[in-house]
Amino acid sequence: MITRFDHAVLAVDDLAAAAALLRDTFGLIVQAAGRHPDTGTENLAIRIGAEDTIMVSGVYDRDAAVAAGIKRARLM
């Protein structure tokens, strides 16, 4: 039986636009959650309750994302 939700990841093509949409349309608090230079991706976090999170992930460096492998290349 599932007793807890930890996090979900939402991949988007424009992180800034997604942040604005989630904030302005749904009133969510969107926070920077880190950049990953080796993979060319960055995340935003939306807290849901005390421990649960929706992560919003986007690509800021296409070349690094492709070089990082197939999982990151799919974000394109």
Side-chain angles (χ1 to χ4, degrees):
M1 176 166 141
I2 297 173
T3 59
R4 185 172 170 273
F5 168 84
D6 182 63
H7 75 277
V9 178
L10 174 64
V12 299
D13 62 356
D14 185 331
L15 204 56
L21 175 73
L22 293 165
R23 182 183 54 247
D24 299 343
T25 303
F26 301 107
L28 298 172
I29 298 170
V30 182
Q31 301 174 321
R35 267 195 170 190
H36 311 104
D38 293 343
T39 62
T41 59
E42 62 184 323
N43 294 335
L44 300 173
I46 302 166
R47 287 273 185 216
I48 307 294
E51 299 179 19
D52 308 321
T53 308
I54 297 173
M55 299 299 292
V56 183
S57 185
V59 173
Y60 73 89
D61 183 336
R62 294 178 64 84
D63 293 336
V66 170
I70 189 65
K71 288 183 181 179
R72 298 294 191 257
R74 284 186 198 167
L75 289 173
M76 301 304 156

